[in-house]
Amino acid sequence: MESRDSDGSLAKSAAATPEQAEPMTEFGDDDPSLIGNHPRVIPRDGARPVRVIHHPIDPSLLDPDAVAIIHRLTRYGHGAYLVGGCVRDLLLQRKPKDFDVGTTARPRQVKRLFRNCRIIGRRFRLAHVFFGDKIIEVSTFRSGAIEPAESNRDDLLLTDENVFGTPEEDAFRRDFTVNGLFYDVETEDILDHVDGMSDVERRVMRTIGDPEVRLREDPIRILRAIKFTARLDFTIDPATLSAIERHREDILRSAKPRVLEETIRLLRGGASARSFDLLRSTRVLEVVLPDVAASLVEKPEAWQTMQCYHGALDRLVQSGVDVPAAVAFATIVAPFVDIVGAAANGGPGVEGDRWSPAFEQFNSLATTFATRIGLSRNDSGRVRQLAAAVRRLVPQQQKRRFTRASIARQPWFSDGLAFFEIHSTALGQFDEELQRWKEALSHVPPQSPAGRGSGGNGRHHGGPGRRGEHSAHGVPAGGDGSPPGSRRRRRRRGGRRRRRSSDPLPPPPPPEP
């Protein structure tokens, strides 16, 4: 569903926002903005002043669908801005991973304006607006942290954030100052409630408010601080760093799936080498992955190997490859067991066989690490499967029983090749063999099942995905002429649900004279 107006125009809101209506004064020369033009300050009754920095961003860098959403929301009298990480990345001249919209509209009001919208979430209701496979997240501004009860003031862990608020309250609710910036696409102004612009310029990661309180409210912010610091090449503010070291044990109070999610993001974010360096220096690694930390104490030489693996993983991610979670997780297991070197020396029945004990040790260590962090059974199995896959990919002392083309069609091949490439890049081994496997993969027909076992994240070496697959004759899978075993999409009965006539779309407000 389109979100633009029928004439293709994106009109400004007729009603001025509170920020536009208030008088504005200039900052003095003693507090200039280092990015964009000099800021303005908008005094507001009973609230902190907001800095407004006129900083036009090239419209070609913005997502047109996100901009269209903002224009429609403002046209119907709601305040709406680009918020969070996309603003930060644009100021740092980085390509945002996604664009999020913050608005004064409630989720149900957003849904009434966009038919291609779905409301999700239990902890906090969010609106997702769909444009094909792309999702723009539209969130209602939330209020600040909830005060703990008198009887439980030592426990600051937040359990309920489902309270709507103002843009200012939403900015102060966020974790770090660089994530608390809003961008008004209509006036081309940056709204800075939390002094985030100066931290962007100084490249400093600092919590909004007292770090002693903010990190205890949500200990996952410790992992997020490390993730952003490594990914953006920032430094951590000294007060925030001290709080991280003091309250690292509070991470254990967070939900295990959230810890797992952030840990995998550390690995797959393109800065895993520095992320793990920060994890180790702050001793957060002892909390999140205690078995890995203990293994590094027993085998300290594995740390350098792990950094090599993570450096190779980062280069692969930065090249645009979507590395599966199982392959990324294997980079913290392989430094302790030379599974590739053992596979190159043969297998059972070969004199001096190193493969069998190495295979058992790798599987045992992978199971231990995966169980502690809560890795899914599927990904845990795929990590162990990598060891068996590597044995097929390394140069063989004996003649292979199968051709390279047949091996390249196997469902495990995509994961195995990704891990083999990381190992080859990290340690400078088997470069020629890696190129032979890539050449074999290039000759695999498009309709072959290579890479399907990797799921959504494993289609990174050219394997076809399930969406948009084509048969050998160019007919889309699932349509007429579908290959055997494909499932046809069932037709919905009753047609598309229409908007009730009793609940029409409200007309936009009339323009002010």
Side-chain angles (χ1 to χ4, degrees):
M1 286 292 183
E2 63 174 0
S3 60
R4 296 175 175 82
D5 300 337
S6 59
D7 60 356
S9 64
L10 299 175
K12 284 190 176 183
S13 172
T17 62
E19 291 85 349
Q20 294 169 335
E22 293 287 345
M24 301 178 184
T25 59
E26 297 288 341
F27 267 121
D29 293 337
D30 57 335
D31 190 13
S33 170
L34 300 179
I35 301 180
N37 298 331
H38 290 275
R40 296 168 293 169
V41 59
I42 304 177
R44 307 169 72 180
D45 293 338
R48 301 175 180 87
V50 53
R51 298 176 68 194
V52 180
I53 303 97
H54 187 66
H55 186 87
I57 295 177
D58 185 354
S60 65
L61 302 177
L62 306 180
D63 188 292
D65 295 317
V67 173
I69 290 173
I70 291 175
H71 281 304
R72 173 163 288 194
L73 287 168
T74 56
R75 184 184 177 203
Y76 282 88
H78 305 291
Y81 310 106
L82 291 176
V83 299
C86 66
V87 181
R88 175 203 67 214
D89 289 343
L90 288 168
L91 292 174
L92 293 171
Q93 299 182 350
R94 298 169 58 94
K95 183 179 179 180
K97 182 179 179 181
D98 46 38
F99 287 79
D100 295 334
V101 175
T103 179
T104 58
R106 302 297 175 90
R108 290 292 176 185
Q109 293 173 319
V110 176
K111 186 171 177 63
R112 287 191 64 197
L113 293 178
F114 302 97
R115 295 183 181 180
N116 52 328
C117 175
R118 180 183 302 165
I119 296 177
I120 67 163
R122 292 182 179 179
R123 186 180 181 189
F124 189 80
R125 307 292 280 175
L126 298 171
H128 279 180
V129 184
F130 293 81
F131 298 89
D133 292 334
K134 180 174 63 178
I135 298 174
I136 304 295
E137 184 176 284
V138 182
S139 59
T140 305
F141 293 129
R142 289 182 262 181
S143 70
I146 301 173
E147 289 294 331
E150 292 289 341
S151 61
N152 198 27
R153 284 197 172 272
D154 291 335
D155 188 0
L156 300 179
L157 189 67
L158 292 179
T159 57
D160 184 12
E161 294 184 278
N162 203 19
V163 181
F164 297 126
T166 64
E168 181 188 21
E169 289 174 331
D170 188 85
F172 278 93
R173 177 201 59 81
R174 295 175 181 270
D175 47 11
F176 304 103
T177 56
V178 296
N179 293 338
L181 300 171
F182 300 163
Y183 181 65
D184 189 332
V185 298
E186 297 192 339
T187 64
E188 297 184 327
D189 289 335
I190 298 289
L191 306 182
D192 184 3
H193 297 270
V194 295
D195 196 25
M197 287 291 283
S198 60
D199 286 340
V200 170
E201 174 62 25
R202 295 186 300 122
R203 306 185 75 86
V204 172
M205 192 61 53
R206 180 169 58 90
T207 59
I208 298 174
D210 184 358
E212 297 286 338
V213 175
R214 301 311 300 275
L215 296 183
R216 293 172 63 194
E217 286 177 346
D218 185 1
I220 293 299
R221 289 170 180 161
I222 294 175
L223 297 178
R224 287 173 58 83
I226 291 173
K227 175 183 68 177
F228 291 133
T229 301
R231 190 178 299 178
L232 302 175
D233 195 23
F234 276 28
T235 58
I236 303 179
D237 174 71
T240 302
L241 181 60
S242 298
I244 287 174
E245 295 171 344
R246 276 192 297 272
H247 301 295
R248 63 183 184 275
E249 297 286 346
D250 287 347
I251 295 176
L252 299 176
R253 301 169 59 208
S254 302
K256 206 169 185 177
R258 293 188 66 203
V259 178
L260 171 64
E261 180 183 15
E262 289 299 331
T263 304
I264 296 300
R265 286 178 176 176
L266 290 175
L267 287 166
R268 300 174 65 192
S272 60
R274 191 177 180 213
S275 294
F276 269 70
D277 190 33
L278 288 171
L279 284 174
R280 194 184 189 197
S281 63
T282 57
R283 300 182 63 187
V284 175
L285 185 65
E286 301 172 11
V287 179
V288 179
L289 293 166
D291 297 299
V292 176
S295 298
L296 285 172
V297 172
E298 297 175 0
K299 192 177 181 181
E301 65 273 15
W303 172 249
Q304 187 62 37
T305 305
M306 183 179 293
Q307 287 293 86
C308 291
Y309 268 94
H310 286 161
L313 172 62
D314 293 340
R315 287 190 287 274
L316 196 60
V317 171
Q318 292 165 7
S319 69
V321 174
D322 189 9
V323 178
V327 176
F329 191 82
T331 61
I332 65 176
V333 183
F336 301 102
V337 183
D338 185 13
I339 192 70
V340 179
N345 287 333
V350 178
E351 185 177 356
D353 171 37
R354 292 172 48 202
W355 165 254
S356 297
F359 180 71
E360 294 178 2
Q361 185 182 2
F362 184 93
N363 284 347
S364 175
L365 205 59
T367 301
T368 301
F369 291 176
T371 301
R372 180 62 68 100
I373 195 65
L375 197 67
S376 70
R377 183 178 300 178
N378 178 50
D379 283 335
S380 180
R382 286 168 60 183
V383 172
R384 294 191 296 270
Q385 190 181 45
L386 286 174
V390 164
R391 187 182 166 201
R392 297 288 187 92
L393 301 180
V394 297
Q396 298 290 318
Q397 295 181 0
Q398 300 175 347
K399 184 177 180 180
R400 285 189 174 89
R401 296 174 56 188
F402 304 98
T403 64
R404 292 183 186 271
S406 63
I407 293 176
R409 293 187 179 94
Q410 300 303 311
W412 47 261
F413 181 76
S414 184
D415 282 3
L417 183 59
F419 180 73
F420 188 56
E421 181 173 355
I422 291 173
H423 173 88
S424 176
T425 304
L427 303 184
Q429 299 176 347
F430 311 121
D431 291 339
E432 295 182 0
E433 191 71 7
L434 175 63
Q435 296 306 318
R436 294 191 188 100
W437 283 116
K438 289 186 175 181
E439 180 69 17
L441 180 64
S442 67
H443 291 92
V444 175
Q447 72 273 16
S448 71
R452 290 187 187 176
S454 303
N457 294 327
R459 297 192 298 268
H460 56 280
H461 280 286
R466 297 189 181 277
R467 179 184 293 275
E469 284 185 337
H470 286 72
S471 67
H473 301 286
V475 180
D480 294 338
S482 298
S486 62
R487 296 173 58 184
R488 297 185 60 185
R489 184 175 180 179
R490 297 185 61 184
R491 182 179 179 183
R492 294 177 59 185
R493 295 188 178 185
R496 185 180 297 276
R497 186 178 66 178
R498 294 179 174 84
R499 185 180 298 275
R500 295 179 299 178
S501 59
S502 60
D503 188 24
L505 184 69
E512 291 184 354

